[in-house]
Amino acid sequence: MRVSVRKQPSWLQVLLILPGVAALVVTFVFPLLWLARTSLQPTTGHILSLHAYVRLFEDSFYWWVIGRTIFIGLLCVVITVPMAFPVALFLARSQSRWRGTLTALAIAPLLTSTVIRTYGWMVILGRHGLINTTLVWAGILAQPTRLDNGPFATVVALVEILLPYGIISILSHLSRLDAELEQAASLLGARRLQVFWRVLLPLSLPGLMTASLLVFVLAISSLVTPQLMGGGRVFVLATEIFNQTTIALDWPFAGALSITLLAFFGIFVALYQRILQHVESQS
């Protein structure tokens, strides 16, 4: 019987991680504490106050903003992850000599600024953009319709922007799976659909969950795309934080909104960890 002994970290290991820990404290922990302190800043006096949080949770408008933020994030997950999975599966199972080139093309949009890609969608979805011009030319529409400046355009642009992240997350997991498991299932008489539903999909769940978490977090924290594609009609937490800091100059309320958004990050990460542990225990 083998008894595993947990080794204590050596002084050398501690010294090696100290610079990284120090950088994390300076660049993340201190700013986060400053943000929390700002959100508790009172309107008068020098005592900490929950005034910003009370205002946030008493106003039904901000409950609606929170709901819309979560809805857009979940909608992006529902659309993006199923689109990313076939691409990642093809790249993971491909034996072509062009596999590296195809993988690079799949993630190449990440090399382009989000602002540029968003402006590209503004041109495509504009009243006189590519889609409207094509539909009018084909006789499907009598006159151009509004496709931009709304939730539809925001979700479309977010899905395209976040798709490479989903592909990378799923591909990194599928590349570690043994393809012989699928071959064994086929040799035992399972059809392709059965192999997919009973072998490949369950084994792919951790990668799908990682992609879902990444897409959701990036979607609900996105500012540029909702601000430009929404045309001032799409209100999410990120745009409200931006408005409170640059227009209203209400830093305590912007801090409360930021802490609320960060709390949602923590909730969904904790939920992801619980579900992932359950999936791994069942596998």
Side-chain angles (χ1 to χ4, degrees), residues 97-268:
R97 62 175 181 172
W98 300 102
R99 176 184 176 184
T101 303
L102 294 175
T103 303
L105 290 175
I107 64 177
L110 296 179
L111 302 177
T112 306
S113 170
T114 301
V115 177
I116 296 176
R117 295 161 69 186
T118 302
Y119 273 117
W121 277 109
M122 292 175 67
V123 173
I124 294 173
L125 297 177
R127 189 170 183 84
H128 300 287
L130 178 62
I131 294 180
N132 267 313
T133 302
T134 303
L135 293 177
V136 172
W137 175 80
I140 299 176
L141 294 178
Q143 58 184 0
T145 185
R146 178 177 292 278
L147 297 175
D148 57 349
N149 295 342
F152 170 78
T154 302
V155 172
V156 169
L158 282 174
V159 167
E160 187 272 332
I161 291 171
L162 300 177
L163 186 60
Y165 294 99
I167 294 174
I168 293 174
S169 301
I170 300 173
L171 178 61
S172 63
H173 180 77
L174 291 178
S175 299
R176 298 194 298 266
L177 296 181
D178 192 351
E180 293 183 357
L181 295 174
E182 302 167 44
Q183 298 174 4
S186 299
L187 292 175
L188 291 174
R191 298 178 180 178
R192 289 187 176 182
L193 189 59
Q194 291 176 318
V195 172
F196 175 79
W197 282 108
R198 304 188 65 177
V199 178
L200 180 59
L201 189 60
L203 292 176
S204 305
L205 281 179
L208 294 173
M209 291 176 55
T210 302
S212 300
L213 178 66
L214 182 60
V215 169
F216 178 80
V217 168
L218 292 176
I220 66 174
S221 60
S222 177
L223 168 65
V224 174
T225 304
Q227 189 81 2
L228 295 178
M229 298 301 298
R233 295 182 176 88
V234 176
F235 301 99
V236 293
L237 280 174
T239 59
E240 286 305 302
I241 294 171
F242 176 79
N243 292 334
Q244 292 298 324
T245 54
T246 59
I247 300 176
L249 300 180
D250 191 342
W251 286 87
F253 191 62
L257 289 171
S258 302
I259 294 297
T260 301
L261 182 59
L262 187 62
F264 280 114
F265 290 161
I267 292 172
F268 282 97

Side-chain angles (χ1 to χ4, degrees), residues 13 46 50 56 79 89-90 106 109 131 160 185 223 231-233 240 242 274:
Q13 292 174 325
H46 301 283
L50 294 174
L56 169 61
I79 299 174
L89 180 61
F90 171 79
I131 294 180
E160 187 272 332
L223 168 65
R233 295 182 176 88
E240 286 305 302
F242 176 79
R274 293 293 299 272

